[in-house]
Amino acid sequence: MSFFAIFCALLLEQVRPLARDNAIHGWLRAWVRWSSDNFDAGKSLHGWTSWALAVLLPTCVALGVYWMLAHWIGWPAAVLWNVVVLYGTLGFRQFSHHFTEIRNALEAGDELQAREHLAAWQRVDASELPRREIVRHVIEYSVLAAHRHVFGVLVWFAVLAALGLGPAGAVFYRMAEFVSRYWRYRANPQNQSASAALQQVAGAAWTVVDWLPARATALGFAIVGSFEDAIDSWRHHAQQFPNDNDGVILAATSGAVNVRLGGEALKAKPVSSALQPFEAGLQPPQDSASTPGREPELAHLRSVVGLVWRTVVLLLGLLALLTLARLLG
């Protein structure tokens, strides 16, 4: 059931992606905001209470609906519910249009427009970036977005679905990622603040939740890319990045496609840009040492696209084999 649910959800998301201002994400933002407004009192215990409400309650709701459908109607209804949940949590098209716009601008030789698209995507200052640095940052943001919107969701979904927990893993992963980002955003002076304790709780929980998916993504990149180089870069250069989980992914990507990643991070735009409405994105990575590899160039963007899609096919193939083995067994 996991394989068919994932395949249908990916196909549906490619044909008709969710709009940026869709009702599902609006309800989730309102729920997360309500949780912190009512339970964030600045203490660690209150932070864990807010986090549990914001993350675990939607997870339990998704699981409860799955069990009820499976018990009262049957497995076809349960599979359909899995597809619906995955459709709402997977997100290739939530970031791929940014990647496409920047790549098209670079292919047309319009570096100014590429900088503008990158700045609008991540709300950073990209006004003085040379061409190779535009490519590097696009690669870094894109592989992290693919991990958080696709591979991490699939890993948690597949693991918990194998235990009979339906789509709980997909909801759990996406909510854990969302609250860590959303409460960090609300800590900005221009927004209603989230306490330091709440941010620490959400960040610590997210680090634990993302540990296994990050390494699964890195291993997938290694298998479909240059395996020895990816593993070597993972072993020796992942620790150069400030975030351990992101570092594993970026180091493996660097080795898999032989590109230099890491270096000076992009900085946030002036205060006025922070007043824009929150939307899904990534926190600009912090400065780090560079990995070995070729200087980033336009061809690497095509390599990264192939790397991501080959990894998707690899995951689907593994799930298909497991599904077939279960049916035959």
Side-chain angles (χ1 to χ4, degrees):
M1 291 194 298
S2 298
F3 168 77
F4 292 111
I6 292 172
F7 180 80
C8 292
L10 285 173
L11 183 61
L12 183 61
E13 203 263 342
Q14 289 295 310
V15 174
R16 190 175 181 84
L18 282 173
R20 181 178 302 178
D21 56 348
N22 65 85
I24 297 175
H25 292 171
W27 293 336
L28 291 178
R29 280 195 295 269
W31 169 249
V32 171
R33 184 166 55 248
W34 180 89
S35 300
S36 59
D37 288 346
N38 287 277
F39 293 92
D40 178 22
K43 303 290 186 181
S44 180
L45 177 61
H46 301 136
W48 282 112
T49 302
S50 299
W51 186 89
L53 278 173
V55 176
L56 297 183
L57 190 58
T59 302
C60 292
V61 169
L63 176 59
V65 172
Y66 172 80
W67 279 346
M68 286 189 294
L69 291 174
H71 179 71
W72 290 342
I73 301 178
W75 69 266
V79 172
L80 181 60
W81 175 242
N82 282 347
V83 173
V84 171
V85 173
L86 285 171
Y87 176 66
T89 52
L90 286 172
F92 256 127
R93 298 292 292 275
Q94 293 180 29
F95 68 90
S96 62
H97 62 284
H98 296 295
F99 177 91
T100 302
E101 289 172 347
I102 297 171
R103 185 181 63 180
N104 290 343
L106 290 174
E107 288 178 342
D110 192 342
E111 295 179 12
L112 176 60
Q113 188 177 47
R115 294 188 191 99
E116 291 175 350
H117 286 314
L118 178 59
W121 178 16
Q122 295 297 330
R123 295 183 185 158
V124 291
D125 183 8
S127 58
E128 298 181 358
L129 283 184
R131 182 183 181 90
R132 66 175 182 276
E133 286 296 290
I134 297 174
V135 174
R136 175 174 72 86
H137 287 295
V138 170
I139 291 173
E140 292 176 357
Y141 284 126
S142 297
V143 295
L144 292 178
H147 166 68
R148 297 178 188 181
H149 288 276
V150 182
F151 300 123
V153 176
L154 296 182
V155 169
W156 267 99
F157 170 76
V159 170
L160 294 194
L163 299 176
L165 300 181
V171 177
F172 176 70
Y173 180 84
R174 289 298 294 137
M175 291 302 299
E177 187 276 334
F178 179 78
V179 299
S180 69
R181 179 162 41 88
Y182 183 72
W183 286 332
R184 184 174 60 240
Y185 160 81
R186 293 194 72 194
N188 292 336
Q190 295 77 27
N191 303 295
Q192 184 177 351
S193 63
S195 71
L198 183 61
Q199 296 174 64
Q200 290 173 359
V201 164
W206 168 240
T207 298
V208 174
V209 169
D210 197 39
W211 188 91
L212 176 62
R215 283 143 185 85
T217 298
L219 182 59
F221 286 172
I223 292 172
V224 302
S226 177
F227 184 82
E228 291 185 1
D229 292 336
I231 295 300
D232 182 72
S233 182
W234 177 352
R235 291 178 57 193
H236 295 101
H237 303 290
Q239 66 275 11
Q240 295 176 184
F241 296 89
N243 183 292
D244 290 342
N245 294 331
D246 290 353
V248 167
I249 297 168
L250 293 175
T253 302
S254 173
V257 297
N258 189 25
V259 62
R260 181 185 61 80
L261 298 180
E264 184 178 357
L266 293 175
K267 306 305 178 185
K269 281 186 176 180
V271 172
S272 60
S273 67
L275 300 176
Q276 300 175 14
F278 171 85
E279 66 177 42
L282 293 171
Q283 183 186 35
Q286 302 176 39
D287 293 351
S288 65
S290 298
T291 65
R294 293 167 52 198
E295 288 292 326
E297 55 189 36
L298 191 58
H300 283 120
L301 295 182
R302 292 188 287 271
S303 298
V304 168
V305 171
L307 187 77
V308 169
W309 278 110
R310 289 196 302 273
T311 306
V312 171
V313 173
L314 173 68
L315 290 175
L316 287 175
L318 289 175
L319 284 173
L321 290 175
L322 290 174
T323 300
L324 181 61
R326 185 173 180 178
L327 292 174
L328 296 178

